[in-house]
Amino acid sequence: MGLSIGIVGLPNVGKSTLFNALSGAQVLAANYPFATKDPNVGIVPVPDARLAKLAKLSASKKIIPAALEFVDIAGLVRGASKGEGLGNQFLANIREVDAIAHVLRCFKDGDVVHVEAGGVDPERDKDVVDTELALKDLETLEKKRDRRVKESKAAGKAGEEAKADVLVYDKLKVALDAGKPARSVKLTDEELPRARELFLLTAKPVLYVANVDEEQLGKIGENGENAKADPMVAKVAAIAEREGAKFVAICSKVEAEIQQLPEGERADYLGSLGLSEPGLHKLVRKGFDLLGLQAYFTTGPEETRAWVIKRGFKAPQAAGVIHTDFERGFIKAETIQWNVLLDLGGEVAAKQKGALRVEGKEYVVQDGDVMHFMFNV
């Protein structure tokens, strides 16, 4: 679906190291600001154990997983909203992504310079980035508001629409002036489209990434369940809880090392660290969820494939992800949950037992549905 997550943060917090591990690309990860002046894009598969099981059942020749686009955006600095450190370019790159993975440095390393005085402090770093994004949003908002206030004096529908826009803009401005992101403002279904037209940076959903060292990772646990065991990670966990956001703790250095190992040696290395899977798998899955995405499957001898859709898509919309003709000429869909199909041993047995359902245009596709569409154009 072409949805993307921008990796943002201050310089030297480990963004490019994380991106290298995610995409397998060797993006420049230098110990100074602006090592990455242009956004780098990586297409990253979404780990999903269900695919291999379905492929084995169908004896598929290949597996095609869902994928997400990650964009490595150069580090923001104080004054970015006023153009400091190529700030305008970086902020424009953030504007183009659908969500943000905000990397917060929690590790201490004397060899890696911190651009902010006072040492490592993820909460302060977050505030620096948030302030720059909010200042840019206020600038955007005020320009658009001034124009719409003038247009609100027009007679008829045009004037009424402008007045309605101004009311929404004022709601957003109150939050931004108070240091709160636009995404924190509760808007009605009628107000949401008016807010979206502004393309505000702080309206984007955020996933916080606590970048830790190996020792910290051992303290907090694989899933960050003991986040309070480390004061820096505890700050990130508290930020996420306060905002109703998600967070994941990752050691970028370890993740980069995993990518350098042959596939056959990775499981042993992970085991030696007390990990069942790379932390990047959690990051990608949480990013997938952050964007409101889910997957349904098609499976057969040629391929088993995950198709990415927005949660809430109905069957014709889901069919349209494969081909627009499927949506245009949609008749019906045969569907079954992936685990039921596995338990029954395949499509033939599922049909014999009446477990393969026939669904129409109003069916809301569920994550993990295995689907076959019938259409006519």
Side-chain angles (χ1 to χ4, degrees):
M1 295 185 68
L3 293 172
S4 59
I5 297 176
I7 303 175
V8 305
L10 295 180
N12 298 346
V13 298
K15 298 184 317 304
S16 290
T17 303
L18 179 63
F19 177 81
N20 290 346
L22 272 168
S23 66
Q26 290 304 305
V27 178
L28 180 62
N31 181 22
Y32 56 89
F34 320 124
T36 314
K37 290 191 175 69
D38 296 311
N40 296 274
V41 180
I43 307 299
V44 182
V46 178
D48 193 332
R50 299 173 296 183
L51 282 165
K53 295 174 182 178
L54 286 170
K56 184 177 180 181
L57 179 71
S58 301
S60 302
K61 293 177 183 175
K62 60 182 177 179
I63 294 174
I64 303 176
L68 275 184
E69 184 177 278
F70 280 86
V71 183
D72 181 28
I73 298 172
L76 291 171
V77 294
R78 287 186 189 272
S81 59
K82 302 300 180 186
E84 292 293 327
L86 303 180
N88 288 332
Q89 178 185 334
F90 300 160
L91 291 166
N93 293 335
I94 295 172
R95 199 178 301 282
E96 292 171 4
V97 299
D98 299 288
I100 292 171
H102 190 162
V103 181
L104 295 167
R105 177 174 168 177
C106 294
F107 66 90
K108 293 179 181 178
D109 186 336
D111 295 329
V112 181
V113 178
H114 199 294
V115 294
E116 286 289 315
V120 176
D121 185 345
E123 189 154 16
R124 178 208 57 215
D125 293 354
K126 171 195 176 292
D127 289 343
V128 171
V129 173
D130 283 358
T131 297
E132 297 305 323
L133 298 185
L135 287 171
K136 196 65 180 177
D137 278 352
L138 278 168
E139 182 185 314
T140 300
L141 187 61
E142 285 164 1
K143 285 180 181 177
K144 189 70 181 284
R145 185 186 183 282
D146 289 346
R147 186 161 64 250
R148 293 304 272 163
V149 166
K150 291 176 184 176
E151 292 166 351
S152 69
K153 295 171 185 175
K157 187 176 179 181
E160 293 304 314
E161 285 293 312
K163 288 175 186 173
D165 282 348
V166 172
L167 288 173
V168 174
Y169 299 169
D170 286 345
K171 271 190 180 184
L172 294 166
K173 189 174 186 304
V174 168
L176 291 168
D177 283 338
K180 296 178 181 177
R183 62 181 169 272
S184 69
V185 179
K186 302 295 183 186
L187 298 172
T188 66
D189 290 343
E190 197 276 331
E191 291 172 327
L192 276 170
R194 299 180 190 279
R196 287 196 194 105
E197 289 175 0
L198 295 166
F199 298 102
L200 297 179
L201 303 172
T202 63
K204 298 180 186 296
V206 174
L207 168 65
Y208 290 105
V209 182
N211 193 11
V212 301
D213 61 27
E214 195 173 324
E215 183 182 346
Q216 288 171 302
L217 195 61
K219 284 182 187 175
I220 64 173
E222 182 173 10
N223 297 304
E225 60 270 23
N226 301 317
K228 291 181 180 178
D230 182 271
M232 296 300 170
V233 179
K235 284 188 175 185
V236 180
I239 289 166
E241 184 176 359
R242 192 164 64 237
E243 296 186 6
K246 296 180 184 297
F247 101 97
V248 60
I250 281 183
C251 179
S252 293
K253 191 174 179 181
V254 164
E255 298 298 325
E257 289 170 356
I258 291 169
Q259 294 303 312
Q260 300 300 318
L261 292 172
E263 286 282 350
E265 296 177 18
R266 293 182 183 182
D268 287 342
Y269 179 61
L270 286 166
S272 72
L273 297 171
L275 303 174
S276 61
E277 64 174 350
L280 293 179
H281 288 191
K282 299 179 184 67
L283 171 60
V284 175
R285 284 197 294 265
K286 287 191 177 185
F288 198 69
D289 184 58
L290 181 70
L291 288 166
L293 303 177
Q294 64 182 33
Y296 74 87
F297 307 118
T298 53
T299 186
E302 287 302 313
E303 69 176 34
T304 291
R305 181 166 184 161
W307 298 91
V308 180
I309 60 171
K310 280 278 191 181
R311 284 195 293 267
F313 264 26
K314 293 183 179 180
Q317 291 173 289
V321 173
I322 298 177
H323 198 286
T324 53
D325 284 350
F326 282 30
E327 181 173 7
R328 188 159 53 92
F330 179 89
I331 299 171
K332 60 183 178 179
E334 290 182 334
T335 184
I336 185 172
Q337 265 288 302
W338 72 278
N339 55 329
V340 177
L341 184 65
L342 284 179
D343 290 343
L344 294 175
E347 190 176 322
V348 173
K351 283 184 176 179
Q352 289 173 347
K353 297 192 177 183
L356 199 65
R357 308 188 314 275
V358 175
E359 301 287 359
K361 292 182 178 181
E362 294 304 308
Y363 176 67
V364 177
V365 177
Q366 302 300 302
D367 183 62
D369 276 349
V370 179
M371 306 194 76
H372 174 65
F373 298 106
M374 278 138 278
F375 68 102
N376 183 32
V377 291

